Amino acid sequence: MTDTNTEALESQAAEAEADGQEYVLVAMGEDTYRVIPQKQWRISFLRHLNEGDFEEWANCVMHPEDAERFIAVDPTLDEFKDFSKAAAKASGDGLGKSSGRRR
């Protein structure tokens, strides 16, 4: 990562902190997005995702400026899958297999 990219990420992190919401920075391609850590997502955010409403999901979990850019990029399903994994990792969560039901 170049010094310019590092400075840009630090600037984004400071801006996110200033608006009162905690975000993690997640890269997709050449862009970086501010995303609320997954443990802070509301059930309604997941409902949007499960219903395939990616635009509303982005509006809920991303900084407003970043959600607009994310929607405009119109990522492929593979790009979204990679983005989701990176968001989970940045949040300290994993997207591994869930454990089976307990009896």
Side-chain angles (χ1 to χ4, degrees), residues 80-97:
F80 181 77
K81 187 169 77 172
D82 292 342
F83 180 84
S84 297
K85 287 179 182 177
K89 186 174 182 179
S91 298
D93 289 342
L95 287 177
K97 294 181 182 176

Side-chain angles (χ1 to χ4, degrees), residues 12 36 61 64:
Q12 286 178 350
I36 298 170
V61 303

Side-chain angles (χ1 to χ4, degrees), residues 51-86:
E51 292 173 351
D53 190 348
F54 296 98
E55 291 179 3
E56 190 58 34
W57 168 83
N59 285 322
C60 291
V61 303
M62 292 183 187
H63 187 279
E65 293 170 7
D66 296 352
E68 289 178 23
R69 288 188 301 116
F70 184 84
I71 292 165
V73 166
D74 194 21
T76 66
L77 190 53
D78 278 343
E79 290 170 327
F80 181 77
K81 187 169 77 172
D82 292 342
F83 180 84
S84 297
K85 287 179 182 177

